[in-house]
Amino acid sequence: MQTSRTSPYAPLAPSALAGRTALVTGAAGGIGLACAEALAAAGAHVHVVDKQGAAARSLADRIGGTAWVADLSVAEAVDGLPADADIVVNNAGLQHVAPVHEFPPDRFTLIHRVMVEAPFRILRRTLPGMYERGWGRVVNISSVHGLRASPYKSAYVSAKHALEGLSKVVAVEAAPHGVTSNCVSPGYVRTPLVEHQIADQARSHGISEQDVVGRVLLERSAVKSLIEPSDVAGAVLWLCGPGTAHVTGSSLTMDGGWTAN
């Protein structure tokens, strides 16, 4: 398996986002953590949003941000988040795998609340401030599953497709106000959840973890290695940096050639 490496995206200068405020959901681990670290390193004050309180507070203390402990499936909790963000990174998500005819309706609803309704509620409250200031960046962490389907993931796939649509609507509405809205759509990212899945499948199938990555998870991908969270964070940071005012309504695909194959 590929080892961790530095993102190919050049980091912004430490003061590039000075005076900006960012809100990152699901920020206590994985992609969200990498995004929070990258934005803070570029000078932004980061609202670290996660339901894992201890981890959120630890990260906020380390990067000089503010922790917000919130369950994004609860509307009142989402509506209680700060509305002063110049940058919103909608990252929080969850997964459940089952065929459609066996998929629990309550689980389907939960996934859509966290991954579609929560981003909508957050943007509904933060966009007016961005409009007033004449600048804003919305980055929605989508997925290759926002562009393609896989079996047994009806809730996740439909939620990511909806997030892609929401992102495009915001792009069209927000353009006159200096605000951009884009998706970053990665394939399989090296997060703790994915690492555990690799280990479990290696034991279940009696094959190596390398074979699980190459032959199972990345079967459709031309690049047979997992994406690093820092790579995704680098793409997010680039979308928030200079020279991207005309990049809006787009989906930046980071899938190792999955959708090209």
Side-chain angles (χ1 to χ4, degrees), residues 154-182:
S154 57
Y156 187 88
V157 169
S158 58
K160 290 300 188 184
H161 274 69
L163 185 62
E164 295 266 356
L166 174 64
S167 184
K168 290 180 174 66
V169 171
V170 172
V172 173
E173 292 185 6
H177 306 283
V179 178
T180 66
S181 176
N182 295 283

Side-chain angles (χ1 to χ4, degrees), residues 20 34 72 78 137 176 192:
R20 303 294 188 189
L72 298 186
V78 179
R137 295 292 182 264

Side-chain angles (χ1 to χ4, degrees), residues 20-68:
R20 303 294 188 189
T21 299
L23 186 151
V24 182
T25 66
I31 294 171
L33 185 151
C35 290
E37 290 179 330
L39 291 164
H45 180 87
V46 181
H47 292 303
V48 177
V49 180
D50 205 287
K51 68 178 182 178
Q52 304 297 329
R57 285 187 285 268
S58 176
L59 174 61
D61 289 345
R62 180 160 56 81
I63 65 174
T66 304
W68 295 83

